[in-house]
Amino acid sequence: MRLLYVFALILAVRIASVFVVQTYYVPDEYWQSLEVAHKLTFGYGYLTWEWVQGIRSYVYPLIIAGIYKLLALLQLDSAQLLVLLPRLLQATLTAYSDYRFYVWTGKRKWALFLILVPWFWFYTGSRTLANTLEASLTTIALSYFPWIGEGSAYLWPAAICCFLRPTAAVIWVPLVIYHLRKTRQPPLKLILKHFVLIGAFVAGVGIAIDTYWHGQLIVTPWEFLKYNILHNIGSFYGSHPWYWYFTVGLPTVLGINTLPFIYGIMETVRKGDRQPVSKQLLISILVTLVVLSTVEHKEFRFVTSLLPLCLYVCAESLSRWSYRASRTQLWAAALVILLGNVVPAWYLSTVHQKGPIELMPKLQEIARDYRDEREQRANILFLMPCHSTPYYSHIHENVTMRFLTCNPNLEQQENFIDEADRFFEAPMHWLRSHIPVHPITAQPSHVVLFDSLEKKITDFLINYKLLYSIEHAEVKKWVESPLLQDLSTALGTQLPNVASLLQHVQPRTGKSILVYQRLKKGEENAFNRQQDADQADPPELPAEPQSSENLFN
């Protein structure tokens, strides 16, 4: 019964995260899962180049598509449920993996505490990311790994994980070698009866699913490795130095938990024979970091699957330390870890980059209700860095939408520049080349952009009125704050200007997202008169309102 209470607590935290985490993290949360599922289920949407080239597996989106199809059959396919239910599903899987972590670690109190409080896991554990699914499957597989005795049940979640995310295999190579060395079974028999059979079955089913939905025989893990490793396509989206995961990536993901993790490393090195599990996990962590460091493109989420391994090391070391620590020390350590995780979890889950999530319900309402003077539905243009927002999965209306693409140089063209870069180099030139001037009804009915772009395209926006201004991120406020300017001055001219550095974090975004609506026929004069009136401070109007004819003519 106690285990049931533990699972209920874990599930409650994960379900709560679905409603607390209302910010935008990375495009893949939507464009590699929800958008694909929406396209499969409802027949309209957008598939990114990864799906055209066949480097992604349909397995995960098909699970979400199953939810969408059920909602459609029940006529409950509202935009709100299309967004909510997949997150609830992922949160439930995450909760089960957390429960398995608790069981795997010997039902230690520190283990339960450490799996519930990490800021990054709270921030990503309910997101529909392949990396979140990978971390959950990795945790489940580790909990079934034969650390004591024999068993091969772990191979099922590990094999699924490796098929969906081929880079996950790096974690399992050292663990499989460890399994083969410690097993009492003949290694060849274990390989043939379990490794080969389970691996072949999972791969066969995965290849069959992908072949059907991609429309041709395809092995998506191979395509993934070919494009990302052999062709190094990932570097198109940014590159970092080889040591980044060691100095920035993993420490950031761990946050304050880096301190007990370092302590755990020291304890494991000193007492490796008495902590064989932690020792083996550290080997897997090191091998994974070294291999991932050879790839130019690096992201925090790529080491999410290492989180359960690191937290096990933390839990074991803190549990051993607890026997000789005082009650005051225990509470102090727990409080520091809790506060060190709560602050970034709260800020990143509720404040930073909340704009896209608050934007989509407004666009959904526009897409559903808007009609222009010709009774045409909305036509929405996103003048933002590519994939800055979710798309059809959050709007669920078959209206025309366009965004700036950022496909990589797949054909190896010389001096290649993607569409988004071409736009931001000369915004007005791009608009004149791609958006018709006459008739005005041929222009987009709505334009979505960050406030940093507004002044650069004022000539284009002359036929539009501001509909919404949605707060997005704090970084621009920091840049503009007098305190930051004073700090830069205090640092002296020989040191980098702090504001200048922050301005280049992401110069194409801003502190607000703006939604402009095209002026309808007869609305031009009224709107411009109101603009002039606001600026000229006109005399008081008579009590009787003017007729519509006088106002617009």
Side-chain angles (χ1 to χ4, degrees):
M1 185 62 69
R2 182 173 179 271
L3 289 178
L4 183 60
Y5 291 149
V6 169
F7 179 72
L9 171 63
I10 296 172
L11 182 62
V13 172
R14 296 306 165 208
I15 296 299
S17 73
V18 174
F19 300 95
V20 173
V21 179
Q22 295 295 321
T23 54
Y24 189 90
Y25 176 35
V26 290
D28 282 14
E29 178 182 354
Y30 313 101
W31 294 81
Q32 306 300 344
S33 55
L34 301 187
E35 300 301 332
V36 181
H38 193 278
K39 173 78 170 178
L40 292 177
T41 308
F42 301 105
Y44 65 94
Y46 188 93
L47 297 180
T48 60
W49 70 269
E50 293 98 329
W51 298 93
V52 176
Q53 299 298 324
I55 74 171
R56 302 288 187 182
S57 174
Y58 273 100
V59 173
Y60 190 37
L62 275 175
I63 297 173
I64 300 174
I67 298 175
Y68 285 179
K69 189 64 176 178
L70 180 61
L71 289 174
L73 291 174
L74 297 175
Q75 296 185 345
L76 296 173
D77 54 319
S78 65
Q80 293 77 15
L81 287 180
L82 294 184
V83 174
L84 178 63
L85 291 190
R87 291 197 63 192
L88 287 174
L89 175 66
Q90 181 57 60
T92 303
L93 178 61
T94 297
Y96 177 70
S97 72
D98 293 346
Y99 169 77
R100 290 303 310 173
F101 178 85
Y102 173 70
V103 173
W104 167 39
T105 54
K107 304 173 186 176
R108 295 173 172 141
K109 293 179 181 178
W110 272 114
L112 179 60
F113 178 74
L114 288 173
I115 199 63
L116 288 178
V117 302
W119 76 269
F120 192 78
W121 195 223
F122 184 87
Y123 180 61
T124 61
S126 62
R127 296 183 184 271
T128 50
L129 277 166
N131 309 95
T132 302
L133 177 63
E134 175 190 0
S136 298
L137 291 173
T138 298
T139 306
I140 295 169
L142 287 170
S143 72
Y144 286 106
F145 190 85
W147 302 104
I148 300 175
E150 299 289 343
S152 58
Y154 77 95
L155 290 172
W156 290 101
I160 296 172
C161 187
C162 293
F163 185 85
L164 298 179
R165 296 283 301 178
T167 50
V170 180
I171 294 176
W172 290 102
V173 170
L175 292 172
V176 165
I177 294 174
Y178 174 76
H179 183 192
L180 292 174
R181 288 180 58 190
K182 71 177 283 294
T183 183
R184 295 180 180 179
Q185 301 182 49
L188 184 60
K189 179 182 177 182
L190 181 63
I191 291 172
L192 294 177
K193 288 188 65 176
H194 297 280
F195 286 69
V196 173
L197 284 180
I198 293 175
F201 180 82
V202 170
V205 172
I207 291 172
I209 291 173
D210 290 336
T211 295
Y212 177 81
W213 289 103
H214 279 291
Q216 60 179 334
L217 179 62
I218 195 166
V219 182
T220 52
W222 163 246
E223 297 296 326
F224 179 91
L225 293 173
K226 181 175 72 174
Y227 279 92
N228 285 288
I229 306 302
L230 301 181
H231 295 170
N232 196 27
I233 290 296
S235 61
F236 179 80
Y237 297 104
S239 59
H240 296 85
W242 68 267
Y243 51 82
W244 186 82
Y245 281 125
F246 292 93
T247 59
V248 179
L250 186 60
T252 301
V253 169
L254 289 175
I256 194 69
N257 296 324
T258 301
L259 299 178
F261 180 62
I262 293 174
Y263 175 72
I265 293 175
M266 295 168 58
E267 288 293 294
T268 303
V269 171
R270 287 171 48 199
K271 307 171 184 177
D273 294 337
R274 284 184 283 176
Q275 298 176 200
V277 177
S278 290
K279 178 181 178 180
Q280 190 57 45
L281 292 177
L282 286 176
I283 293 173
S284 290
I285 293 169
L286 178 61
V287 170
T288 302
L289 291 177
V290 169
V291 173
L292 292 180
S293 295
T294 63
V295 181
E296 285 187 44
H297 183 58
K298 301 174 177 67
E299 295 186 37
F300 295 115
R301 61 191 175 99
F302 292 167
V303 292
T304 307
S305 57
L306 292 180
L307 195 55
L309 287 76
C310 296
L311 293 179
Y312 184 98
V313 175
C314 295
E316 184 169 49
S317 61
L318 286 176
S319 295
R320 293 177 181 273
W321 168 75
S322 298
Y323 289 114
R324 61 179 185 273
S326 67
R327 187 179 184 86
T328 302
Q329 289 174 322
L330 288 173
W331 279 103
L335 185 61
V336 169
I337 292 174
L338 179 63
L339 292 177
N341 283 287
V342 166
V343 173
W346 166 79
Y347 176 75
L348 293 170
S349 298
T350 63
V351 179
H352 184 63
Q353 295 190 157
K354 64 180 181 179
I357 307 304
E358 294 183 1
L359 165 73
M360 300 316 291
K362 300 182 186 301
L363 293 185
Q364 198 276 332
E365 183 180 347
I366 289 171
R368 185 188 65 229
D369 300 333
Y370 176 84
R371 298 293 185 274
D372 67 9
E373 56 269 37
R374 295 188 177 183
E375 289 300 310
Q376 297 294 316
R377 303 189 72 185
N379 181 341
I380 304 172
L381 174 64
F382 294 82
L383 296 179
M384 315 167 84
C386 67
H387 313 310
S388 289
T389 69
Y391 215 46
Y392 281 101
S393 64
H394 283 55
I395 290 180
H396 195 45
E397 294 286 342
N398 193 5
V399 297
T400 300
M401 298 198 295
R402 181 178 179 182
F403 67 96
L404 303 171
T405 62
C406 54
N407 296 342
N409 187 12
L410 298 175
E411 299 178 2
Q412 302 300 314
Q413 302 175 13
E414 292 186 9
N415 302 318
F416 175 81
I417 303 177
D418 65 52
E419 183 178 45
D421 284 343
R422 290 199 305 272
F423 170 81
F424 283 105
E425 283 183 357
M428 283 304 302
H429 174 75
W430 187 94
L431 289 168
R432 293 189 185 103
S433 302
H434 292 80
I435 306 299
V437 178
H438 299 289
I440 191 173
T441 52
Q443 297 179 2
S445 65
H446 295 82
V447 180
V448 185
L449 63 151
F450 284 108
D451 58 348
S452 58
L453 178 66
E454 185 181 26
K455 293 182 180 179
K456 299 177 183 178
I457 59 170
T458 51
D459 289 345
F460 173 73
L461 294 176
I462 194 171
N463 293 321
Y464 290 81
K465 63 180 179 181
L466 181 63
L467 201 60
Y468 298 113
S469 178
I470 302 166
E471 189 174 352
H472 173 60
E474 298 290 308
V475 66
K476 293 291 182 178
K477 292 183 180 179
W478 296 342
V479 169
E480 297 167 359
S481 69
L483 178 62
L484 190 59
Q485 301 299 332
D486 293 342
L487 178 60
S488 296
T489 303
L491 289 174
T493 57
Q494 299 301 317
L495 294 175
N497 182 279
V498 178
S500 177
L501 291 175
L502 282 177
Q503 283 173 335
H504 289 86
V505 171
Q506 182 49 279
R508 295 178 180 180
T509 63
K511 64 182 180 183
S512 300
I513 296 176
L514 308 179
V515 179
Y516 275 86
Q517 179 173 290
R518 190 184 68 224
L519 298 169
K520 294 182 180 180
K521 185 177 181 181
E523 221 179 353
E524 293 88 345
N525 289 337
F527 181 70
N528 291 330
R529 280 183 188 177
Q530 183 61 44
Q531 292 280 65
D532 294 339
D534 291 341
Q535 295 175 6
D537 194 15
E540 186 177 353
L541 294 175
E544 291 295 326
Q546 295 180 346
S547 67
S548 59
E549 291 80 9
N550 289 334
L551 179 63
F552 293 135
N553 299 319

